[in-house]
Structures are given as C-alpha cells and as structure tokens.
Amino acid sequence: MTPTQATARFFNTAADLLNLPDRERKQLLTPYREIKVECSFTRDDGSLATFVGYRVQHDNSRGPMKGGIRYHPQVDIDEVNALAALMTWKTAVVNLPYGGAKGGISCDPGQLSLGELQRLTRKFTQRLHDVIGMYTDIPAPDMGTNSQTMAWIMDEYSKFHGHSPGVVTGKPVELGGSLGRDAATGRGILFAAECLFADLGKKVSEFTYAIQGFGNVGSWAARLFNEAGGKIVAVADVSGGIANAKGLDIPALVAHVAKTKSVAGFPGSEPILADELLYQACDVLIPAALGDVLNGQNAGRVKARFILEGANHPTDPDADTVFAANGVTVVPDIFANAGGVTVSYFEWVQNVQEFRWEEEKVNTELRRVMQKAYADLSAVRKKYGCDLRTAAFTLAVDRVATATRLRGI
Ligand code: NAD
C-alpha cells in the first residue's frame, strides 16, 4: 500500500462516519497544487549535480498551508502527497488556523557538504519563491533539514520579497525562531502521553520506552520522558541500536551522539539491530524516524502496549488492525507529533506581531493546545466508539469539510 493509499483509507473511514458525500470526499482528497522542480548546482569538485524537489500544497480552507521540507533519498511525489494531506488533518486536530503542505528533495544530505547543501537549498527556494509565503505556504524543518536550512530559505526568499522571517518556521532563534521550537515535537509527545496515561490513572514515570530515531524528535522525546521519570530501555538510529533493560543514561547518550554522531558503541548498553528496536520488550514504543515501519507483516511482533507516533505515517492501516486485535493503543501522528507544528504556529505569530515570547509561555501554551486537542479527540472517540486514529481523522475531516463548505466554491 502506498503512503497516499494508506492516508486515503484513514480519511475514508472518517468520511464514512461523517456521511460525507462523494463530491466532498474528492474535493478534500485532491491536492490544491503539486509542484516538481529541477534543482541543479555546482558541487565542490566543479561537477554539476541535479536533484528533483517537490512541494505539494494540499488544502488552504482553514488558513495558509504549513508543512516541513524533507531531504532524504526516498522522497517522491507519492510520499510528499501523503505527508501534505496529513498536515491538513494535523493542523485541524490541534485547531491551528492553517492548512497542509509538504516538500522535499530526493537526495542524501549526508553525502553533501555544507556548501553544497546551501546551494541546493537556495536553488530549491528560487524555484518555489512565487508559491510560498507568510500567508500562502510556510515551510519548516523535517527529516534531513534543520534550522540552518530554514535560515538559507528565509535569506533567499527575502532577496525576492524583502525581509520575510515569517516565510519559514523552525529558524534559528537569532533570526526570529521561537524559543522551545527545537524541543517542541518531543515535548508534544510527552504532553500527549500525559493525557492518555492520566485517563488510565497512570503516569509517564510508570512505564518503559523504546525509541526509533535519535534526531530532533527522538532525542528530545528521550530527554523529556527521561526527565519525567520514564525509563528509556532501547533506542536506535540509522547506524544501529542499543538497549539496557535497567534504563539508558540519556544525558550521557546525548553527549555521546553529539561527539560520535551515532548511538552505536554507547558505554553501558548492548548492541541490537536497528530493525529489532520495534520488537524490544517495553511498555511504550515511540517510532520517531521513517514512515511506513509498522505494517500487517510485522505489527504482531510488537511487544509494547502503547505506540506514540513521533514519526509521520509510521503505521499503515493493516498494522492498525493487528494492534486493535492485540489490545495495543496507538496515539496517531496527527495528534502525537503535532507539538512541532503548534510551536511553529507560535513562531509565526511572534513573527507577525514582531514580539518575542518567553520559553515558559511557549511550553505552557503548547500544553494547553495538546490538552484541548486530547479532550476534543476523547469526545469524538466516545461519540463514535472508535479508536484514537479514527477519532483524530474524524475530528479533522469534519473541521476541514465545514470550513470548505462555509467558504463556498
Ligand atoms: P532527523 O533527521 O532529525 O532524525 C531522524 C532520525 O532517524 C536520525 O536519528 C536517523 O539516524 C534516524 N533513522 C533514519 N533511518 C533509520 C532507520 N532505518 N532506523 C532507525 N533510525 C533511523 O528527523 P526528525 O526531524 O527527528 O524527524 C523524524 C520523524 O518525525 C519524521 O518522520 C518526521 O516527519 C517526523 N516529524 C518531525 C517533526 C519535527 O519537528 N522535526 C515534527 C513532526 C513529525
């Protein structure tokens, strides 16, 4: 099943519950605009390199479109389409005044020098500058990109349109980025977990955790769950995995990764295969790397009782069926990892107002948004007697369909 087919299946389950007419389904599923561009630049050795970049703008009925830019070899139009649609549903679940978009370049950023990455990013921005903007479409970091990438996009865009910090979020704080943005996705996962566990009369500190991915999302999730008293028993990144049933020393691991660029070889841990991370003995699994890692074939091997989706689209609908049968609770990406886009929204609000928030205000407002979204989700779950993913899609599709109807054709 392709990512677009999987996302459409989640959408249709929600649309069935809402009795959405076919004409509205087609309108909501069809992207507003798909863009594919050639990005050529001179490599450090003087040769010419050409990569293909994409931006899919999915829906703008609730506000400007919003979504990350990914640099990864697997980026293609199908994946970008699915991720753009997920952004529409995600911004609706947490009730931000945004629509959804996504972009990326099919490349391996690890094989490019800093200078090459800058030239590639500037070329991509030159190709897109006419169709992105503060009130049109606002990119942000995703896999393989970071605050430096956003700084280059802002600078290149500003050459065409004048000083425009609000055209991207996830910028360095020195250039109008928000305090708390780096940690926001991990912090949002923590707030989502607190809501879920409170419903069960439990606390974050009562569980063990395994985390796939130790980049922005995975490493911040590890730090924040660890600070909240949770025991992190396994983590993996692209280079391999590590485990310790007694709990990993997360501050020391963060320092080890800063030095060596990988979790492998961390003192006081057993090596495991990166793929085996998903099947480790733990209470809570947090996929925070690639999409499509849990499917009908491997879902039965997962031992965790809870899955908090830090990554976008880590679970396909067949895996959801297995998890439901096995009593595994899945907190879906479009709620669990919405902390990133929520603090991106706070950053944009600060740029629009030209006014800075303290980090404490950012984190307090983030908690409020996540708690309100969880309360909204719980009400939908109760009304339809469905799982959390179906509740999240139903809440989101209802909000987007209502906005589309009110705006008219
Ligand atoms: P990142 O590039 O900072 O980190 C990615 C991590 O995944 C790295 O540690 C990498 O080594 C690891 N990884 C890659 N392939 C792997 C494999 N086969 N097995 C194990 N680990 C592997 O990316 P990120 O920003 O942390 O994003 C991770 C996921 O979270 C993506 O799905 C992204 O779309 C999603 N997400 C990110 C944000 C954000 O604010 N950055 C917000 C919402 C969702």
Side-chain angles (χ1 to χ4, degrees), residues 7 42 54 99 103 147 160 217 261 291 303 306 308 313 323 354:
T7 312
T42 308
Y54 306 91
S147 58
F160 295 93
V217 181
K261 307 285 171 231
K303 297 194 185 75
F306 302 95
L308 307 176
H313 184 58
F323 291 137
E354 299 187 27

Side-chain angles (χ1 to χ4, degrees), residues 2-4 7 29 31 33-36 52-59 66-88 100-106 124 128 137 142 312-313:
T2 67
T4 303
T7 312
L29 276 177
R33 179 152 54 191
E34 283 181 15
I35 301 146
K36 179 177 173 188
V52 176
Y54 306 91
R55 186 79 183 163
V56 173
Q57 300 175 328
H58 178 255
D59 191 277
K66 186 90 192 82
I69 290 184
R70 178 176 287 196
Y71 289 177
H72 193 276
Q74 276 171 22
V75 166
D76 62 23
I77 192 66
D78 186 85
E79 182 186 70
V80 178
N81 248 307
L83 293 170
L86 282 176
M87 286 306 297
T88 298
K102 200 83 182 188
I105 300 180
S106 177
F124 189 44
L128 289 184
D137 177 5
D142 193 78
N312 282 313
H313 184 58

Side-chain angles (χ1 to χ4, degrees), residues 70 142-144 181 185 213-217 237-238 288-289 310-312 337:
R70 178 176 287 196
D142 193 78
M143 272 182 79
R181 174 60 184 89
T185 306
F214 208 73
N216 172 283
V217 181
D237 64 14
V238 70
N312 282 313
N337 71 31

Side-chain angles (χ1 to χ4, degrees), residues 70 83 86 90 102 142-143 185 189 211-213 217-218 221 285-294 307-315 331-338 389:
R70 178 176 287 196
L83 293 170
L86 282 176
K90 188 185 303 186
K102 200 83 182 188
D142 193 78
M143 272 182 79
T185 306
I189 301 171
I211 303 176
Q212 183 186 48
V217 181
L285 173 64
I286 306 181
L290 302 172
D292 256 335
V293 291
L294 295 163
I307 297 175
L308 307 176
E309 294 187 337
N312 282 313
H313 184 58
T315 308
V331 183
D333 48 4
I334 58 172
F335 168 59
N337 71 31
R389 189 184 316 277

